Amino acid sequence: MVVVLKAGTGKSQVEALADKLTKMGVEVNPVYGKNLTILGLIGDTTRVDPTRVEADPCVEKIIHVAEPFKKANRAFHPDDTVVDVSGVKIGGEALTIIAGPCSVESEEQICQVAGDVKRMGANLLRGGAFKPRTSPYAFQGLKYDGLKLLIEAREKTGMPIVSEIMSPADIDIFEEEVDLIQVGARNMQNFDLLRQLGRCKKPVLLKRGLSATIEEWLMSAEYIMCEGNENVILCERGIRTFETYTRNTIDLSAIPAIKKMSCLPVLVDPSHATGKWWMVEPLAKAAIAVGADGLMIEVHNDPVHALCDGQQSIKPEVFANLMRDVRTIAQAVGRKIA
Ligand code: PEP
Ligand code: MN
């Protein structure tokens, strides 16, 4: 349930009403927006008698929220959420470009790619240190050594770093060292991990599960947000369908859907979505055209010898072209690249 207050309602009146509603047994989330103030009610809202609330002179109207996600719901936060990742704002007018290799492989590799993508306009550096691989015999990532190399690349370039967490046991080190903590598709419904990330102070990049509906994805965001961490960024990375030509099927309709349903920023990862390096550029452009807040792109200096996902990684020179074209599309849809 959302209680929309009349324009000009003072802070003390808002607080008094919030107090009254809390005493009725629900959690109250006041949101002071650009144009209006609202109170989002969470919990057993059958305890609240809407006629009594509407009788309050500060109340404009009550909206009943049918969806099970509340904190991630656009009705609770009419304004777009802008998440600050160590100074990089995600979800505002400027698009965010995350680029880097699938996995951190060596000092030379990560520092070279980091320097290249930074020069070409990327805002954040990605690199997997803990890799969720289908086969236990495949390269599993450099783990803690990989994180150290990423930190070194951040020191050299000044770019904040994004890396995937796989185990709740690593929350402390990620909270300390990583600027944006990625939850991969395979862990989208690891509810213990999500709850613990909800108690952590770093923003979370939540990728869509392999076969997750949009509502399931938003419910996973809700797991993080209901624990107090509202700095969640979504990332569409393709879903499983009957098609086998591409690694996954990119669901671009999810972008306008998320924008309508939720206040959260949403990025697109055309690398994992297609699994083919030559499809990354056209789909990156399409993603920006449909309203994504940015991109996550796998870039490798030597894709043929990459230890993971070389087939979908683009070389720095292809990334430079992509950035040039994305800039043009961004302008056409009223966005910009910082
Ligand atoms: C990744 O970004 O490296 C990754 C493993 O992606 P996903 O979880 O979307 O498969
Ligand atoms: Mn990858």
Side-chain angles (χ1 to χ4, degrees):
M1 189 185 279
V2 172
V3 182
V4 181
L5 302 182
K6 289 208 171 105
T9 305
K11 196 154 191 248
S12 58
Q13 289 166 296
V14 178
E15 281 166 0
L17 180 57
D19 199 42
K20 204 164 90 186
L21 291 162
T22 307
K23 288 199 178 106
M24 294 180 186
V26 290
E27 187 193 320
V28 184
N29 279 273
V31 178
Y32 297 89
K34 262 185 245 145
N35 301 315
L36 75 174
T37 300
I38 62 172
L39 301 175
L41 310 190
I42 299 176
D44 182 7
T45 48
T46 57
R47 292 159 149 237
V48 177
D49 176 357
T51 56
R52 270 180 62 200
V53 180
E54 263 170 342
D56 190 298
C58 306
V59 173
E60 177 70 38
K61 62 176 174 186
I62 286 180
I63 302 169
H64 294 277
V65 178
E67 294 92 355
F69 49 95
K70 308 295 176 189
K71 295 202 167 181
N73 202 306
R74 177 68 77 181
F76 272 56
H77 290 262
D79 297 333
D80 291 336
T81 298
V82 178
V83 178
D84 187 322
V85 178
S86 304
V88 175
K89 301 243 183 338
I90 305 187
E93 191 192 349
L95 300 176
T96 305
I97 311 295
I98 304 176
C102 178
S103 325
V104 180
E105 296 171 12
S106 67
E107 181 183 4
E108 192 198 349
Q109 175 240 22
I110 191 68
C111 290
Q112 192 180 327
V113 175
D116 284 346
V117 298
K118 157 106 193 206
R119 208 160 14 84
M120 293 161 183
N123 313 101
L124 299 171
L125 175 66
R126 68 152 284 148
F130 298 85
K131 294 306 302 176
R133 303 304 298 278
T134 303
S135 165
Y137 308 116
F139 174 61
Q140 307 283 304
L142 297 181
K143 307 203 164 110
Y144 302 102
D145 291 337
L147 281 185
K148 275 193 208 135
L149 295 176
L150 258 185
I151 292 163
E152 189 183 321
R154 172 176 60 198
E155 277 162 11
K156 286 197 170 131
T157 59
M159 255 189 304
I161 55 177
V162 187
S163 202
E164 176 170 353
I165 189 165
M166 293 206 348
S167 164
D170 290 326
I171 293 236
D172 288 350
I173 183 161
F174 271 75
E175 184 170 22
E176 187 66 32
E177 307 289 5
V178 174
D179 299 283
L180 175 58
I181 306 176
Q182 176 174 329
V183 174
R186 290 153 195 81
N187 271 313
M188 189 206 82
Q189 286 188 317
N190 182 340
F191 299 120
D192 274 353
L193 180 65
L194 299 177
R195 274 199 192 278
Q196 289 196 43
L197 287 167
R199 286 181 230 121
C200 123
K201 62 178 192 299
K202 286 289 174 68
V204 177
L205 179 70
L206 180 65
K207 298 191 86 174
R208 183 175 183 179
L210 308 176
S211 302
T213 64
I214 294 171
E215 187 169 295
E216 284 164 345
W217 187 15
L218 288 170
M219 288 311 288
S220 290
E222 193 78 14
Y223 262 93
I224 303 169
M225 297 174 86
C226 77
E227 293 291 332
N229 186 354
E230 299 201 357
N231 293 315
V232 178
I233 300 149
L234 302 167
C235 182
E236 160 64 34
R237 45 78 71 206
I239 49 173
R240 282 270 167 94
T241 67
F242 53 80
E243 182 56 72
T244 54
Y245 183 72
T246 45
R247 182 174 180 177
N248 292 291
T249 297
I250 189 165
D251 181 12
L252 289 182
S253 61
I255 307 307
I258 292 282
K259 287 284 162 197
K260 186 174 166 67
M261 295 159 85
S262 176
C263 49
L264 297 176
V266 58
L267 310 181
V268 171
D269 168 354
S271 309
H272 290 89
T274 63
K276 296 188 191 301
W277 71 267
W278 53 272
M279 278 195 182
V280 170
E281 188 178 335
L283 288 160
K285 290 191 274 186
I288 299 309
V290 297
D293 294 298
L295 301 164
M296 176 182 249
I297 311 273
E298 285 188 339
V299 180
H300 199 289
N301 53 341
D302 183 12
V304 172
H305 295 106
L307 296 180
C308 186
D309 287 350
Q311 78 290 353
Q312 64 191 36
S313 301
I314 56 173
K315 288 187 177 173
E317 53 267 34
V318 178
F319 180 69
N321 288 338
L322 178 153
M323 287 298 288
R324 199 195 48 218
D325 287 356
V326 163
R327 254 176 234 285
T328 311
I329 306 274
Q331 245 179 3
V333 294
R335 307 293 288 265
K336 60 178 190 200
I337 290 190

